[in-house]
Amino acid sequence: MDKIKPNFVLFDLDGTLIDSVPDLSFCVDEMMRQVGMPVRGEALVRNWLGNGVRRLVERALVGSDESMPAQELMDRAYPIFLDLYKHNNSLRSTIYDGVVEGLKWMLTQGYRIACVTNKPQIFAIPLLKDKGLYDYFEFVISGDSCAEKKPHPMPLLNAAKRMNFTPESGLMIGDSRSDIKAARSAGLHIFCMTYGYNHGEDIHDYEPDVTLDSFTELANYIETKIG
């Protein structure tokens, strides 16, 4: 692929900027203990991410990506998870290698960047702030900022509107089929990280425009904007 020169760039959060699985897995397993069910473990939690924390809890309660828990069980377990995660949002999570360097490069080139995540605002903003990433972004669109979440294109279209650019002039950088579907539907270019959470599937199978092993590779595919 030839280098592109987008007007704006949107970044996913979990699995793209930050590995949040250690904290999420801790909270899932403690929730399971409190409702008297078997713990799930980090490997399963890693495969269940990508559609927001509510869907993660649903998958954990049934141990599957396919079915749904009884509403009574969900009503009991979900508040437990939310309380746990409120106090364990960033204790074990880590920024992926190369992310800070990549974000700094984007800003030095004059690119406007924002974060678009399915994580609720009450968790997304503190996580970004605790890890020192919040101030890199012009704004953050969280999982409860719009009526729809990714893979629906609405959050990306909303971001483009806030940037005052056409969606077709933008780039999304994510890690999952959800990011790819949202970007394709909205008309943005889509780059994906190989290290993220894609339900245990190879991200190459979903044919993003570019796959990256590190943010330090961004300059190979994005044109210098200044000069």
Side-chain angles (χ1 to χ4, degrees):
M1 178 180 173
D2 294 333
K3 286 188 176 184
I4 64 171
K5 193 173 185 178
N7 285 326
F8 66 98
V9 184
L10 308 177
F11 292 86
D12 176 51
L13 174 52
D14 298 296
T16 300
L17 302 173
I18 293 173
D19 182 7
S20 53
V21 165
D23 281 313
L24 288 165
S25 178
F26 171 85
C27 295
V28 163
D29 284 349
E30 183 57 31
M31 174 196 72
M32 298 298 287
R33 291 187 185 98
Q34 292 190 31
V35 297
M37 298 178 67
V39 300
R40 301 305 187 188
E42 189 170 304
L44 284 175
V45 170
R46 190 172 293 275
N47 287 341
W48 289 336
L49 296 181
N51 302 106
V53 294
R54 185 177 186 88
R55 188 70 187 107
L56 169 62
V57 170
E58 291 170 345
R59 288 165 173 157
L61 290 173
V62 296
S64 168
D65 195 10
E66 304 300 326
S67 56
M68 298 288 287
Q71 190 60 50
E72 180 182 0
L73 177 59
M74 186 64 183
D75 290 343
R76 184 158 56 100
Y78 191 49
I80 295 172
F81 176 87
L82 293 178
D83 185 64
L84 285 164
Y85 197 42
K86 182 170 64 176
H87 297 97
N88 292 272
N89 190 25
S90 61
L91 298 182
R92 304 161 188 82
S93 299
T94 56
I95 303 171
Y96 288 109
D97 290 343
V99 164
V100 171
E101 294 88 338
L103 293 178
K104 286 181 176 179
W105 181 83
M106 297 294 295
L107 292 179
T108 60
Q109 297 306 309
Y111 281 105
R112 296 176 62 186
I113 64 176
C115 180
V116 180
T117 174
N118 280 348
K119 187 185 287 293
Q121 181 175 323
I122 191 175
F123 302 130
I125 302 300
L127 178 58
L128 287 166
K129 287 184 175 180
D130 287 351
K131 295 304 178 183
L133 298 182
Y134 181 76
D135 290 337
Y136 287 105
F137 300 107
E138 190 169 321
F139 56 83
V140 177
I141 293 180
S142 304
D144 45 5
S145 298
C146 302
E148 302 284 352
K149 299 191 290 286
K150 298 177 294 181
H152 197 283
M154 183 182 290
L156 278 62
L157 295 173
N158 181 278
K161 184 176 182 180
R162 289 180 65 171
M163 293 280 197
N164 201 29
F165 289 121
T166 62
E168 293 77 13
S169 68
L171 166 65
M172 176 77 199
I173 298 179
D175 69 296
S176 71
R177 64 195 188 199
S178 178
D179 294 315
I180 294 173
K181 185 174 181 179
R184 296 292 187 216
S185 297
L188 281 75
H189 290 287
I190 175 69
F191 292 2
C192 278
M193 311 310 300
T194 57
Y195 52 63
Y197 319 140
N198 190 41
H199 308 275
E201 299 175 319
D202 188 337
I203 195 62
H204 294 90
D205 294 342
Y206 290 88
E207 299 182 339
D209 297 326
V210 169
T211 56
L212 304 169
D213 294 324
S214 169
F215 272 37
T216 57
E217 299 172 13
L218 286 171
N220 297 333
Y221 301 99
I222 299 176
E223 288 189 17
T224 298
K225 195 176 182 71
I226 296 176

